[in-house]
Amino acid sequence: MAKQKDKQKLIANNKKAFHDYFIEESYEAGIALHGTEVKSMRQGKCSIKESFIRIENGEVYVYGMHVSPYEKGNIFNKDPLRTKKLLLHRYEINKLAGKVAEKGLTLVPLQVYFKEGKVKVEIGLARGKKLYDKRQDIAKKDQRREAEKEFKVKNL
């Protein structure tokens, strides 16, 4: 039997994190969910725009991750904004806790996706950008857009 590719179906993406932070490292973590939350995610009803991650008592939690209630879930639906536990190995948690203790580093969720039928969260170890860094990124993006536009016009 042929080996299956790692099929990843993107559920939610956090573009704001790339705008506000320099992403230094990224990790993949599982997430502890209830049944109706998984069904809701299969429909793509998840948002991580305003969410953040904290390490408390040796466990990693994501706050502010909105999973819309499953429409057919009635009494089994959970609170859409409840804190959700992330599943990482102990050595990864210890490593992240040490790095977050450094000045200026934080953990942010980058994307949520399905991998082999399981919901995974890509978390990034990030350093905040200053206003001038954001301006530089916007200027680079504008230059790239202009270059693509000129290239497109020349090739017509």
Side-chain angles (χ1 to χ4, degrees):
M1 196 166 11
K3 198 173 187 182
Q4 274 189 339
K5 290 181 182 176
D6 287 339
K7 291 187 178 180
Q8 292 185 0
K9 181 187 171 212
L10 187 65
I11 301 169
N13 199 358
N14 192 355
K15 292 180 184 175
K16 188 178 176 189
F18 292 99
H19 183 262
D20 292 341
Y21 301 100
F22 292 115
I23 308 300
E24 296 185 358
E25 292 179 43
S26 64
Y27 297 88
E28 182 180 72
I31 185 167
L33 296 171
H34 292 278
T36 54
E37 290 176 322
V38 176
K39 289 180 180 184
S40 181
M41 283 193 174
R42 288 205 187 281
Q43 294 176 342
K45 296 185 177 178
C46 175
S47 174
I48 56 172
K49 282 186 174 37
E50 298 296 322
S51 59
F52 59 96
I53 296 172
R54 281 197 184 144
I55 300 174
E56 297 172 353
N57 301 326
E59 294 182 339
V60 184
Y61 295 97
V62 62
Y63 292 86
M65 180 174 163
H66 188 276
V67 179
S68 298
Y70 183 58
E71 61 224 22
K72 298 175 184 149
N74 56 41
I75 62 167
F76 299 108
N77 282 332
K78 301 291 180 190
D79 178 31
L81 288 172
R82 74 177 184 88
T83 60
K84 294 157 189 73
K85 184 177 176 181
L86 295 181
L87 309 172
L88 287 162
H89 291 286
R90 175 68 48 210
Y91 67 89
E92 289 177 316
I93 295 172
N94 293 339
K95 183 178 176 183
L96 287 173
K99 290 193 176 189
V100 168
E102 289 180 31
K103 189 178 179 195
L105 288 177
T106 186
L107 292 171
V108 290
L110 301 177
Q111 60 184 5
V112 180
Y113 53 91
F114 279 105
K115 182 178 178 183
E116 298 174 6
K118 294 176 176 60
V119 179
K120 302 287 183 178
V121 179
E122 183 180 351
I123 59 177
L125 189 64
R127 185 177 304 278
K129 284 185 181 179
K130 304 280 190 249
L131 183 62
Y132 58 84
D133 292 328
K134 292 179 189 177
R135 286 188 188 138
Q136 287 175 350
D137 284 353
I138 291 170
K140 285 179 188 175
K141 197 181 292 182
D142 288 344
Q143 282 180 336
R144 185 175 43 81
R145 209 176 283 136
E146 287 295 323
E148 287 175 0
K149 193 175 184 181
E150 289 175 22
F151 183 73
K152 192 174 182 181
V153 170
K154 288 180 183 177
N155 288 336
L156 286 177

